[in-house]
Amino acid sequence: MTEPLSAPAYELAQVNIARLRFPLDSPELKDFVDALDPVNAVADAAEGFVWRLQSDSGNATDVPVLGDDWLIVNMSVWRDPNALTAFMYQGRHRELLARRREWFELMREAMSALWWVPTGHHPTVREAEDRLLHLRAHGPTPYAFTLRTSFPAQGAEPVAPVDIPEGLGCSV
């Protein structure tokens, strides 16, 4: 008799922040704002999607991040990097990704981070901020990494206390 397959112990969390070039209610961001609900619906139905951050608005554009009113946050959990990548680079999301420079400032520091979470855990914005700032300070580590430099699923701790050097907030 074969053993039943067990659920994976970890899932992949991702955070992506962007600094707006214009107010969310401006004509310049209309195409972006109009695409939020359809793109989120595609994500929600995507193979390997687990969870996404959302407020009462149904998205996360009004969730504060890093103490900057011009930043918006996107955070989600996926089964694995392949599921996240498949969603990111296909269909409507890919179309929006191609237009990101119209809507968001080009930033010098990392604006996205990945990390493993125990299955069923929904990360907080504070947790995401810590992971992103850790990535900025230390580069990719098992605690916070990128799609290009990833690490196997594991319970990772910071490589050092998260003592963020001056200037690692958000600069343009």
mmCIF file of all heavy atoms in Angstrom, residues 90-119:
data_model
loop_
_atom_site.group_PDB
_atom_site.id
_atom_site.type_symbol
_atom_site.label_atom_id
_atom_site.label_comp_id
_atom_site.label_asym_id
_atom_site.label_seq_id
_atom_site.Cartn_x
_atom_site.Cartn_y
_atom_site.Cartn_z
ATOM 1 N N GLN A 90 2.656 35.761 -17.904
ATOM 2 C CA GLN A 90 1.650 35.376 -18.889
ATOM 3 C C GLN A 90 0.473 36.335 -18.856
ATOM 4 O O GLN A 90 0.208 36.979 -17.845
ATOM 5 C CB GLN A 90 1.139 33.962 -18.603
ATOM 6 C CG GLN A 90 2.167 32.886 -18.798
ATOM 7 C CD GLN A 90 1.585 31.519 -18.529
ATOM 8 O OE1 GLN A 90 0.406 31.266 -18.750
ATOM 9 N NE2 GLN A 90 2.413 30.621 -18.035
ATOM 10 N N GLY A 91 -0.228 36.408 -19.955
ATOM 11 C CA GLY A 91 -1.514 37.086 -20.034
ATOM 12 C C GLY A 91 -1.532 38.539 -19.599
ATOM 13 O O GLY A 91 -0.622 39.317 -19.850
ATOM 14 N N ARG A 92 -2.613 38.889 -18.918
ATOM 15 C CA ARG A 92 -2.879 40.271 -18.531
ATOM 16 C C ARG A 92 -1.797 40.837 -17.606
ATOM 17 O O ARG A 92 -1.425 41.994 -17.717
ATOM 18 C CB ARG A 92 -4.251 40.337 -17.854
ATOM 19 C CG ARG A 92 -4.784 41.720 -17.643
ATOM 20 C CD ARG A 92 -5.522 42.192 -18.897
ATOM 21 N NE ARG A 92 -5.930 43.564 -18.803
ATOM 22 C CZ ARG A 92 -7.136 43.965 -18.441
ATOM 23 N NH1 ARG A 92 -8.065 43.099 -18.127
ATOM 24 N NH2 ARG A 92 -7.424 45.250 -18.419
ATOM 25 N N HIS A 93 -1.292 40.017 -16.679
ATOM 26 C CA HIS A 93 -0.244 40.505 -15.786
ATOM 27 C C HIS A 93 1.007 40.881 -16.569
ATOM 28 O O HIS A 93 1.637 41.895 -16.297
ATOM 29 C CB HIS A 93 0.094 39.469 -14.711
ATOM 30 C CG HIS A 93 1.041 40.004 -13.693
ATOM 31 N ND1 HIS A 93 2.397 39.858 -13.803
ATOM 32 C CD2 HIS A 93 0.823 40.727 -12.565
ATOM 33 C CE1 HIS A 93 2.979 40.458 -12.773
ATOM 34 N NE2 HIS A 93 2.048 40.993 -12.009
ATOM 35 N N ARG A 94 1.346 40.081 -17.549
ATOM 36 C CA ARG A 94 2.517 40.382 -18.388
ATOM 37 C C ARG A 94 2.320 41.712 -19.119
ATOM 38 O O ARG A 94 3.258 42.504 -19.240
ATOM 39 C CB ARG A 94 2.755 39.251 -19.375
ATOM 40 C CG ARG A 94 3.957 39.479 -20.253
ATOM 41 C CD ARG A 94 4.155 38.357 -21.225
ATOM 42 N NE ARG A 94 5.291 38.665 -22.074
ATOM 43 C CZ ARG A 94 5.802 37.834 -22.912
ATOM 44 N NH1 ARG A 94 5.297 36.629 -23.055
ATOM 45 N NH2 ARG A 94 6.822 38.181 -23.661
ATOM 46 N N GLU A 95 1.124 41.950 -19.612
ATOM 47 C CA GLU A 95 0.832 43.213 -20.299
ATOM 48 C C GLU A 95 1.046 44.401 -19.361
ATOM 49 O O GLU A 95 1.630 45.415 -19.747
ATOM 50 C CB GLU A 95 -0.608 43.213 -20.814
ATOM 51 C CG GLU A 95 -0.886 42.195 -21.905
ATOM 52 C CD GLU A 95 -2.379 42.048 -22.181
ATOM 53 O OE1 GLU A 95 -3.171 42.950 -21.794
ATOM 54 O OE2 GLU A 95 -2.754 41.029 -22.778
ATOM 55 N N LEU A 96 0.571 44.283 -18.129
ATOM 56 C CA LEU A 96 0.745 45.364 -17.156
ATOM 57 C C LEU A 96 2.209 45.535 -16.770
ATOM 58 O O LEU A 96 2.695 46.659 -16.612
ATOM 59 C CB LEU A 96 -0.102 45.114 -15.916
ATOM 60 C CG LEU A 96 -1.609 45.158 -16.111
ATOM 61 C CD1 LEU A 96 -2.313 44.893 -14.800
ATOM 62 C CD2 LEU A 96 -2.040 46.475 -16.694
ATOM 63 N N LEU A 97 2.905 44.429 -16.620
ATOM 64 C CA LEU A 97 4.320 44.475 -16.282
ATOM 65 C C LEU A 97 5.099 45.261 -17.335
ATOM 66 O O LEU A 97 5.996 46.033 -17.008
ATOM 67 C CB LEU A 97 4.845 43.039 -16.178
ATOM 68 C CG LEU A 97 6.089 42.761 -15.385
ATOM 69 C CD1 LEU A 97 5.988 43.303 -13.968
ATOM 70 C CD2 LEU A 97 6.364 41.262 -15.353
ATOM 71 N N ALA A 98 4.734 45.099 -18.577
ATOM 72 C CA ALA A 98 5.412 45.812 -19.661
ATOM 73 C C ALA A 98 5.191 47.328 -19.581
ATOM 74 O O ALA A 98 5.997 48.099 -20.101
ATOM 75 C CB ALA A 98 4.931 45.281 -21.015
ATOM 76 N N ARG A 99 4.137 47.751 -18.902
ATOM 77 C CA ARG A 99 3.823 49.185 -18.809
ATOM 78 C C ARG A 99 4.201 49.801 -17.467
ATOM 79 O O ARG A 99 3.895 50.965 -17.197
ATOM 80 C CB ARG A 99 2.322 49.386 -19.057
ATOM 81 C CG ARG A 99 1.897 48.986 -20.465
ATOM 82 C CD ARG A 99 0.445 49.280 -20.708
ATOM 83 N NE ARG A 99 0.159 50.708 -20.575
ATOM 84 C CZ ARG A 99 -1.068 51.213 -20.531
ATOM 85 N NH1 ARG A 99 -2.119 50.416 -20.609
ATOM 86 N NH2 ARG A 99 -1.257 52.513 -20.411
ATOM 87 N N ARG A 100 4.884 49.062 -16.604
ATOM 88 C CA ARG A 100 5.150 49.530 -15.238
ATOM 89 C C ARG A 100 5.877 50.865 -15.179
ATOM 90 O O ARG A 100 5.654 51.643 -14.266
ATOM 91 C CB ARG A 100 5.868 48.451 -14.438
ATOM 92 C CG ARG A 100 7.286 48.165 -14.878
ATOM 93 C CD ARG A 100 7.838 46.952 -14.111
ATOM 94 N NE ARG A 100 9.169 46.596 -14.525
ATOM 95 C CZ ARG A 100 9.469 45.820 -15.552
ATOM 96 N NH1 ARG A 100 8.500 45.306 -16.276
ATOM 97 N NH2 ARG A 100 10.721 45.546 -15.855
ATOM 98 N N ARG A 101 6.742 51.172 -16.114
ATOM 99 C CA ARG A 101 7.486 52.441 -16.085
ATOM 100 C C ARG A 101 6.577 53.651 -16.340
ATOM 101 O O ARG A 101 6.921 54.759 -15.976
ATOM 102 C CB ARG A 101 8.638 52.434 -17.084
ATOM 103 C CG ARG A 101 9.677 51.377 -16.794
ATOM 104 C CD ARG A 101 10.485 51.701 -15.543
ATOM 105 N NE ARG A 101 11.345 50.591 -15.201
ATOM 106 C CZ ARG A 101 11.248 49.867 -14.103
ATOM 107 N NH1 ARG A 101 10.319 50.139 -13.219
ATOM 108 N NH2 ARG A 101 12.055 48.862 -13.872
ATOM 109 N N GLU A 102 5.415 53.433 -16.943
ATOM 110 C CA GLU A 102 4.451 54.526 -17.127
ATOM 111 C C GLU A 102 3.845 54.945 -15.788
ATOM 112 O O GLU A 102 3.483 56.105 -15.607
ATOM 113 C CB GLU A 102 3.277 54.076 -18.020
ATOM 114 C CG GLU A 102 3.619 53.805 -19.444
ATOM 115 C CD GLU A 102 2.399 53.285 -20.193
ATOM 116 O OE1 GLU A 102 1.265 53.790 -19.947
ATOM 117 O OE2 GLU A 102 2.569 52.370 -21.020
ATOM 118 N N TRP A 103 3.705 54.001 -14.871
ATOM 119 C CA TRP A 103 2.952 54.217 -13.645
ATOM 120 C C TRP A 103 3.797 54.334 -12.386
ATOM 121 O O TRP A 103 3.376 54.945 -11.417
ATOM 122 C CB TRP A 103 1.963 53.070 -13.453
ATOM 123 C CG TRP A 103 1.038 52.875 -14.615
ATOM 124 C CD1 TRP A 103 0.358 53.849 -15.298
ATOM 125 C CD2 TRP A 103 0.673 51.645 -15.223
ATOM 126 N NE1 TRP A 103 -0.400 53.288 -16.285
ATOM 127 C CE2 TRP A 103 -0.234 51.927 -16.269
ATOM 128 C CE3 TRP A 103 1.016 50.317 -14.991
ATOM 129 C CZ2 TRP A 103 -0.799 50.950 -17.066
ATOM 130 C CZ3 TRP A 103 0.455 49.334 -15.784
ATOM 131 C CH2 TRP A 103 -0.441 49.659 -16.808
ATOM 132 N N PHE A 104 4.997 53.708 -12.408
ATOM 133 C CA PHE A 104 5.815 53.631 -11.198
ATOM 134 C C PHE A 104 7.209 54.182 -11.432
ATOM 135 O O PHE A 104 7.763 54.045 -12.522
ATOM 136 C CB PHE A 104 5.918 52.171 -10.718
ATOM 137 C CG PHE A 104 4.583 51.511 -10.582
ATOM 138 C CD1 PHE A 104 4.215 50.473 -11.413
ATOM 139 C CD2 PHE A 104 3.679 51.947 -9.631
ATOM 140 C CE1 PHE A 104 2.982 49.865 -11.304
ATOM 141 C CE2 PHE A 104 2.430 51.345 -9.507
ATOM 142 C CZ PHE A 104 2.086 50.306 -10.346
ATOM 143 N N GLU A 105 7.768 54.772 -10.381
ATOM 144 C CA GLU A 105 9.122 55.306 -10.458
ATOM 145 C C GLU A 105 10.130 54.158 -10.531
ATOM 146 O O GLU A 105 9.917 53.101 -9.946
ATOM 147 C CB GLU A 105 9.420 56.173 -9.230
ATOM 148 C CG GLU A 105 8.610 57.446 -9.202
ATOM 149 C CD GLU A 105 8.966 58.340 -8.017
ATOM 150 O OE1 GLU A 105 9.983 58.089 -7.349
ATOM 151 O OE2 GLU A 105 8.203 59.274 -7.779
ATOM 152 N N LEU A 106 11.214 54.410 -11.220
ATOM 153 C CA LEU A 106 12.316 53.463 -11.268
ATOM 154 C C LEU A 106 13.108 53.628 -9.975
ATOM 155 O O LEU A 106 13.557 54.725 -9.662
ATOM 156 C CB LEU A 106 13.204 53.734 -12.483
ATOM 157 C CG LEU A 106 14.410 52.829 -12.649
ATOM 158 C CD1 LEU A 106 13.966 51.377 -12.797
ATOM 159 C CD2 LEU A 106 15.218 53.259 -13.854
ATOM 160 N N MET A 107 13.226 52.560 -9.221
ATOM 161 C CA MET A 107 13.882 52.619 -7.916
ATOM 162 C C MET A 107 15.267 51.990 -7.992
ATOM 163 O O MET A 107 15.490 51.073 -8.779
ATOM 164 C CB MET A 107 13.033 51.890 -6.875
ATOM 165 C CG MET A 107 11.588 52.388 -6.800
ATOM 166 S SD MET A 107 11.410 54.117 -6.417
ATOM 167 C CE MET A 107 11.828 54.096 -4.703
ATOM 168 N N ARG A 108 16.161 52.478 -7.142
ATOM 169 C CA ARG A 108 17.528 51.966 -7.131
ATOM 170 C C ARG A 108 17.677 50.711 -6.282
ATOM 171 O O ARG A 108 18.607 49.943 -6.482
ATOM 172 C CB ARG A 108 18.490 53.034 -6.625
ATOM 173 C CG ARG A 108 18.634 54.193 -7.610
ATOM 174 C CD ARG A 108 19.658 55.167 -7.130
ATOM 175 N NE ARG A 108 19.094 55.884 -5.990
ATOM 176 C CZ ARG A 108 19.649 56.911 -5.409
ATOM 177 N NH1 ARG A 108 20.816 57.353 -5.817
ATOM 178 N NH2 ARG A 108 19.075 57.527 -4.394
ATOM 179 N N GLU A 109 16.813 50.506 -5.323
ATOM 180 C CA GLU A 109 16.956 49.356 -4.443
ATOM 181 C C GLU A 109 15.907 48.290 -4.751
ATOM 182 O O GLU A 109 14.986 48.517 -5.519
ATOM 183 C CB GLU A 109 16.866 49.774 -2.977
ATOM 184 C CG GLU A 109 15.527 50.346 -2.571
ATOM 185 C CD GLU A 109 15.397 51.828 -2.846
ATOM 186 O OE1 GLU A 109 16.290 52.606 -2.492
ATOM 187 O OE2 GLU A 109 14.381 52.202 -3.450
ATOM 188 N N ALA A 110 16.102 47.133 -4.141
ATOM 189 C CA ALA A 110 15.172 46.017 -4.334
ATOM 190 C C ALA A 110 13.761 46.437 -3.928
ATOM 191 O O ALA A 110 13.560 47.049 -2.883
ATOM 192 C CB ALA A 110 15.615 44.811 -3.514
ATOM 193 N N MET A 111 12.805 46.106 -4.761
ATOM 194 C CA MET A 111 11.405 46.420 -4.496
ATOM 195 C C MET A 111 10.560 45.153 -4.355
ATOM 196 O O MET A 111 9.364 45.228 -4.147
ATOM 197 C CB MET A 111 10.842 47.298 -5.621
ATOM 198 C CG MET A 111 11.563 48.638 -5.758
ATOM 199 S SD MET A 111 11.443 49.681 -4.301
ATOM 200 C CE MET A 111 9.818 50.384 -4.559
ATOM 201 N N SER A 112 11.200 44.001 -4.472
ATOM 202 C CA SER A 112 10.476 42.746 -4.273
ATOM 203 C C SER A 112 11.375 41.754 -3.550
ATOM 204 O O SER A 112 12.603 41.821 -3.637
ATOM 205 C CB SER A 112 9.992 42.178 -5.606
ATOM 206 O OG SER A 112 11.091 41.887 -6.435
ATOM 207 N N ALA A 113 10.748 40.857 -2.838
ATOM 208 C CA ALA A 113 11.467 39.817 -2.107
ATOM 209 C C ALA A 113 10.602 38.566 -2.030
ATOM 210 O O ALA A 113 9.372 38.644 -2.068
ATOM 211 C CB ALA A 113 11.817 40.295 -0.691
ATOM 212 N N LEU A 114 11.261 37.439 -1.923
ATOM 213 C CA LEU A 114 10.612 36.149 -1.754
ATOM 214 C C LEU A 114 11.135 35.506 -0.476
ATOM 215 O O LEU A 114 12.277 35.754 -0.083
ATOM 216 C CB LEU A 114 10.940 35.218 -2.925
ATOM 217 C CG LEU A 114 10.619 35.721 -4.328
ATOM 218 C CD1 LEU A 114 11.172 34.750 -5.361
ATOM 219 C CD2 LEU A 114 9.133 35.892 -4.508
ATOM 220 N N TRP A 115 10.322 34.675 0.142
ATOM 221 C CA TRP A 115 10.757 33.887 1.293
ATOM 222 C C TRP A 115 9.769 32.755 1.491
ATOM 223 O O TRP A 115 8.644 32.800 1.014
ATOM 224 C CB TRP A 115 10.904 34.743 2.557
ATOM 225 C CG TRP A 115 9.631 35.281 3.135
ATOM 226 C CD1 TRP A 115 8.934 34.758 4.187
ATOM 227 C CD2 TRP A 115 8.881 36.425 2.705
ATOM 228 N NE1 TRP A 115 7.815 35.528 4.443
ATOM 229 C CE2 TRP A 115 7.768 36.557 3.539
ATOM 230 C CE3 TRP A 115 9.058 37.377 1.685
ATOM 231 C CZ2 TRP A 115 6.822 37.571 3.390
ATOM 232 C CZ3 TRP A 115 8.124 38.387 1.522
ATOM 233 C CH2 TRP A 115 7.027 38.481 2.372
ATOM 234 N N TRP A 116 10.234 31.719 2.180
ATOM 235 C CA TRP A 116 9.391 30.566 2.448
ATOM 236 C C TRP A 116 8.638 30.763 3.750
ATOM 237 O O TRP A 116 9.193 31.273 4.718
ATOM 238 C CB TRP A 116 10.243 29.300 2.512
ATOM 239 C CG TRP A 116 10.865 28.980 1.192
ATOM 240 C CD1 TRP A 116 12.172 29.209 0.830
ATOM 241 C CD2 TRP A 116 10.232 28.405 0.053
ATOM 242 N NE1 TRP A 116 12.374 28.805 -0.467
ATOM 243 C CE2 TRP A 116 11.205 28.306 -0.973
ATOM 244 C CE3 TRP A 116 8.935 27.965 -0.208
ATOM 245 C CZ2 TRP A 116 10.915 27.777 -2.226
ATOM 246 C CZ3 TRP A 116 8.648 27.447 -1.466
ATOM 247 C CH2 TRP A 116 9.634 27.359 -2.449
ATOM 248 N N VAL A 117 7.384 30.377 3.749
ATOM 249 C CA VAL A 117 6.553 30.437 4.951
ATOM 250 C C VAL A 117 5.973 29.049 5.196
ATOM 251 O O VAL A 117 5.776 28.275 4.260
ATOM 252 C CB VAL A 117 5.403 31.475 4.818
ATOM 253 C CG1 VAL A 117 5.961 32.887 4.684
ATOM 254 C CG2 VAL A 117 4.472 31.148 3.669
ATOM 255 N N PRO A 118 5.697 28.721 6.456
ATOM 256 C CA PRO A 118 5.033 27.444 6.722
ATOM 257 C C PRO A 118 3.683 27.395 6.006
ATOM 258 O O PRO A 118 2.978 28.404 5.899
ATOM 259 C CB PRO A 118 4.839 27.450 8.239
ATOM 260 C CG PRO A 118 5.833 28.440 8.761
ATOM 261 C CD PRO A 118 5.987 29.471 7.683
ATOM 262 N N THR A 119 3.330 26.249 5.504
ATOM 263 C CA THR A 119 2.055 26.086 4.818
ATOM 264 C C THR A 119 0.920 26.617 5.689
ATOM 265 O O THR A 119 0.849 26.313 6.876
ATOM 266 C CB THR A 119 1.830 24.611 4.469
ATOM 267 O OG1 THR A 119 2.852 24.209 3.553
ATOM 268 C CG2 THR A 119 0.467 24.381 3.831
#
